Amino acid sequence: MKEHDFLSVISDETGLSHEEAEILVVATLETLAERLTPDEADDLASELPEAFREPLLTGGSPEDFGVEEFVERVARRSTGDVVDVREDIHAVFSALRLAVTPGEFDDVLAHLPGEYAQIL
């Protein structure tokens, strides 16, 4: 999937402009990278448009935080409202589901606790 198409999925679902959607994507991927192992983050990055690979390549140890902390971190990074960002994160995961292979998406989900289902 190309960068424009990826952002269009998010824009169509949220009503955000492509520029706002890009900020949201980077904030979400940076936060997701903090939750994934470096190898899993690298695998996910390899299947995304080039513009969205770098936020995943942190190389740090995975942190253990719940969905509320995930949403708060994305909100801080994107300067969004926590309530709105929760719904917007869902749109990013919808785009991820379309952009990567089903196996890779399942691998990402396997690294997240069940409580994350509320934003997926």
Side-chain angles (χ1 to χ4, degrees):
M1 178 180 282
K2 296 184 191 269
E3 177 183 353
H4 177 77
D5 298 330
F6 191 88
L7 292 173
S8 290
V9 169
I10 297 161
S11 292
D12 291 347
E13 193 170 321
T14 63
L16 296 173
S17 69
H18 275 225
E19 293 79 18
E20 293 167 323
E22 186 170 358
I23 292 167
L24 175 67
V25 169
V26 170
T28 303
L29 294 178
E30 286 175 345
T31 305
L32 184 60
E34 293 171 342
R35 196 68 179 75
L36 299 175
T37 64
D39 287 343
E40 187 54 44
D42 288 349
D43 290 347
L44 178 60
S46 72
E47 295 192 21
L48 291 178
E50 190 171 335
F52 301 126
R53 292 178 184 163
E54 188 172 329
L56 286 163
L57 305 178
T58 62
S61 297
E63 297 178 43
D64 185 20
F65 53 86
V67 70
E68 295 305 321
E69 177 67 17
F70 189 96
V71 172
E72 288 174 15
R73 289 182 187 203
V74 173
R76 280 193 304 268
R77 287 183 166 122
S78 65
T79 64
D81 177 82
V82 171
V83 173
D84 293 335
V85 167
R86 179 181 299 279
E87 294 176 16
D88 295 344
I89 291 169
H90 176 77
V92 175
F93 277 98
S94 294
L96 285 174
R97 186 183 304 271
L98 295 171
V100 303
T101 61
E104 181 54 39
F105 193 77
D106 289 345
D107 287 348
V108 169
L109 295 182
H111 285 82
L112 302 173
E115 71 174 310
Y116 277 74
Q118 59 186 284
I119 60 171
L120 302 176

